[in-house]
Amino acid sequence: DAMVIQNPRYQVTQFGKPVTLSCSQTLNHNVMYWYQQKSSQAPKLLFHYYDKDFNNEADTPDNFQSRRPNTSFCFLDIRSPGLGDAAMYLCATSRSRGSPNYGYTFGSGTRLTVV
Amino acid sequence: QQQVKQSPQSLIVQKGGISIINCAYENTAFDYFPWYQQFPGKGPALLIAIRPDVSEKKEGRFTISFNKSAKQFSLHIMDSQPGDSATYFCAAIVGGSYIPTFGRGTSLIVHP
């Protein structure tokens, strides 16, 4: 039933060791998003893809990169994770047109721990 | 700069009581206001949403009240249940955009 699937659910990485989180969707939505959510905080948008167009938020650190090889998949790469990057990473998808809510759907998230 | 202000940060309610979460905004270009419910270890899920041309929307035990002149909207959970214990986020979307601006969230605990 899951329509936005994130893998893995839990990821432990070493300080400074590159890590990749993945997201796939079966909704055929043209927009995919990556959010960072720290404890007791709202999700913070890192970037999003509008089709193949990459849109970075101004305050997203250069340490975070993303790839979208096709409509269904999107990856979050953290080049050199620091302790401050430990968080829940949420993938979401939506349409860019058509209300209501543009079909906004979140995945269950990947909990990243940096040791 | 927080464009959607949400309060309270946390809320404890007894089973059967009414839970009320409030949000306020400044940007009059917002024209869609969804609420999301997030359980621990899960992503947020759409709960209920409203447009500013409607003052109230009800779905089961959940009601959104919207005050356009005051630029405020609130979520009311009637007959609150322990299963409603979760974090609730209000959000707002600018007309013509598709990206929500989230409030900081409210952690709701409903005691049996």
Side-chain angles (χ1 to χ4, degrees):
Chain A
D1 256 347
M3 295 176 286
V4 180
I5 302 167
Q6 292 188 242
N7 285 304
R9 290 296 310 276
Y10 302 92
Q11 176 74 56
V12 180
T13 191
Q14 291 180 337
F15 182 95
K17 183 175 181 181
V19 64
T20 295
L21 310 181
S22 73
C23 177
S24 64
Q25 57 135 336
T26 59
L27 297 164
N28 203 33
H29 283 167
N30 63 321
V31 189
M32 294 187 77
Y33 311 77
W34 280 105
Y35 286 85
Q36 179 191 64
Q37 186 178 29
K38 297 189 175 181
S39 181
S40 302
Q41 296 184 20
K44 177 182 182 297
L45 183 63
L46 295 174
F47 25 60
H48 75 280
Y49 275 94
Y50 182 116
D51 296 323
K52 294 183 179 181
D53 294 334
F54 178 72
N55 298 271
N56 200 28
E57 294 299 299
D59 57 353
T60 298
D62 293 340
N63 197 27
F64 292 87
Q65 304 286 322
S66 185
R67 296 170 283 136
R68 188 180 186 186
N70 54 53
T71 301
S72 301
F73 286 86
C74 195
F75 300 97
L76 171 62
D77 300 308
I78 308 176
R79 293 193 294 186
S80 181
L83 297 178
D85 296 328
M88 174 77 87
Y89 289 89
L90 294 166
C91 174
T93 72
S94 79
R95 298 181 295 270
S96 57
R97 296 181 178 81
S99 58
N101 195 46
Y102 306 92
Y104 218 89
T105 305
F106 282 90
S108 292
T110 294
R111 170 73 64 187
L112 178 68
T113 301
V114 181
V115 298
Chain B
Q1 181 181 2
Q2 185 186 0
Q3 295 191 49
V4 180
K5 296 183 179 180
Q6 183 173 348
S7 63
Q9 187 174 352
S10 62
L11 181 62
I12 299 174
V13 175
Q14 293 296 317
K15 179 182 176 182
I18 302 173
S19 304
I20 302 174
I21 304 171
N22 301 298
C23 286
Y25 64 97
E26 289 296 326
N27 188 350
T28 55
F30 288 137
D31 76 346
Y32 190 75
F33 301 87
W35 284 87
Y36 291 86
Q37 180 187 54
Q38 184 178 25
F39 293 106
K42 298 288 188 181
L46 177 67
L47 183 64
I48 188 173
I50 197 168
R51 288 201 178 276
D53 54 349
V54 176
S55 61
E56 185 175 283
K57 183 174 181 180
K58 184 176 181 180
E59 291 184 3
R61 295 185 293 109
F62 299 90
T63 300
I64 300 178
S65 297
F66 189 86
N67 186 331
K68 188 173 181 179
S69 61
K71 291 185 282 186
Q72 295 175 348
F73 58 110
S74 60
L75 176 69
H76 297 236
I77 306 174
M78 311 301 288
D79 187 25
S80 299
Q81 299 297 312
D84 297 331
S85 298
T87 299
Y88 292 82
F89 295 96
C90 64
I93 302 178
V94 170
S97 174
Y98 47 86
I99 300 177
T101 298
F102 288 94
R104 290 181 183 260
T106 296
S107 175
L108 171 66
I109 296 174
V110 181
H111 284 310

